[in-house]
Amino acid sequence: MVSQSILLFGYGSHGRFIASGLHEDGFKIKIVESNPDYYEQAREDGYIDVEYADVTSDSILQALNPQHFDQLVCVMEDEHLNVFLTLSLRSLFKECYILSISDSMHTTKKLKMAGADKVIDLYEVSANKIYNILRRPVATKILEGIVMERDGVVFREIPVPERSFLEDVMTDDLDLAPYGILLIGMIDEELGHTFVFITAGINHRVDAGDTLVCIGPKDKLDEFEAVLKKEKEL
């Protein structure tokens, strides 16, 4: 798996957690923080590529060369600053992929208007979690146990390449059990880069450029990703 580079803005409560997860999963990350306490915390946690910077300055943002990173992640602790930063980055770097974190529906709307490509709404995530605990307590407990233990079982986003054997296959017909992994959902570009759980009951057609979100042992995911790159037989 090719390591992706992430420019992470913010090392507050959410940023610290995200940085840890990205680091464990092998991502190359650079952290930018404007709060001196959070900056020092990142250094104390062992991160080397950390920069203390005023993210309200366009010239400083340009000097960071965000266009050289695969994704920009905005998780500044101050939500107003996070919206302003997202707006500035979108204005300066129109081709960059920007992901932002929100903790309310109101902030989610503002981040989308500011130009974020993807907004993870923690309010919605929490609501879904509560729903799952109430409706599917056993399955939720098992899934959380797998994720928290991290005993070699991981989530992975796997892009579908051109001419893959999965092209034009409907999700209802997609069985990944023979590969020893489980399909959780997919990011369907036809629906506007929207993540859809496989349990949503919608039968999607898999196209090149879509992203499958799977869970399984690392070696099984590696094997499946290699198979997926083989061209389908004509």
Side-chain angles (χ1 to χ4, degrees):
M1 180 180 179
V2 177
S3 179
Q4 287 196 338
S5 57
I6 306 292
L7 184 55
L8 177 66
F9 292 91
Y11 197 75
S13 55
H14 301 319
R16 189 179 186 188
F17 178 79
I18 291 170
S20 175
L22 291 173
H23 178 70
E24 288 182 19
D25 288 339
F27 286 82
K28 297 176 181 176
I29 59 173
K30 177 183 180 69
I31 299 170
V32 180
E33 182 53 80
S34 59
N35 180 302
D37 293 333
Y38 295 144
Y39 167 77
E40 289 299 331
Q41 184 63 61
R43 301 287 294 184
E44 290 177 10
D45 288 344
Y47 294 100
I48 298 173
D49 198 359
V50 186
E51 189 155 333
Y52 179 63
D54 177 7
V55 297
T56 63
S57 166
D58 285 355
S59 60
I60 290 177
L61 292 179
Q62 288 170 325
L64 293 170
N65 293 315
Q67 67 274 19
H68 294 161
F69 291 80
D70 293 308
Q71 291 192 38
L72 316 180
V73 179
C74 300
V75 286
M76 303 299 292
E77 198 73 358
D78 183 318
E79 72 168 58
H80 301 292
L81 180 58
N82 208 41
V83 173
F84 182 82
L85 172 62
T86 301
L87 184 63
S88 299
L89 290 172
R90 173 52 66 223
S91 175
L92 293 170
F93 309 100
K94 300 189 185 303
E95 303 301 321
C96 287
Y97 185 87
I98 303 174
L99 184 149
S100 297
I101 302 293
S102 161
D103 58 6
S104 72
M105 289 187 288
H106 181 62
T107 303
T108 296
K109 290 180 181 178
K110 289 194 289 187
L111 287 168
K112 288 181 177 177
M113 291 178 66
D117 294 285
K118 177 69 177 177
V119 179
I120 297 177
D121 187 336
L122 299 179
Y123 175 85
E124 184 178 0
V125 171
S126 298
N128 285 335
K129 183 174 180 179
I130 292 170
Y131 172 83
N132 284 327
I133 290 173
L134 293 174
R135 295 295 301 271
R136 307 181 186 93
V138 176
T140 302
K141 185 177 180 180
I142 292 173
L143 181 60
E144 288 190 342
I146 290 172
V147 174
M148 295 303 291
E149 288 176 6
R150 303 184 66 84
D151 52 354
V153 178
V154 296
F155 283 101
R156 184 176 296 178
E157 294 184 9
I158 304 176
V160 179
E162 296 279 354
R163 297 186 291 279
S164 164
F165 73 95
L166 285 186
E167 262 195 288
D168 300 325
V169 173
M170 304 302 290
T171 52
D172 280 358
D173 301 323
L174 193 56
D175 180 13
L176 302 186
Y179 301 97
I181 62 176
L182 182 66
L183 179 65
I184 300 298
M186 63 181 289
I187 300 171
D188 192 329
E189 298 300 329
E190 199 172 28
L191 299 178
H193 202 75
T194 301
F195 174 77
V196 181
F197 281 102
I198 202 66
T199 54
I202 305 172
N203 193 15
H204 291 268
R205 187 186 66 197
V206 178
D207 298 311
D210 289 342
T211 302
L212 305 179
V213 180
C214 303
I215 186 171
K218 288 181 180 179
D219 57 336
K220 296 294 183 184
L221 290 168
D222 289 340
E223 291 174 7
F224 174 69
E225 200 163 0
V227 170
L228 194 57
K229 291 176 182 174
K230 295 181 180 177
E231 295 187 6
K232 61 181 176 183
E233 298 180 0
L234 300 176

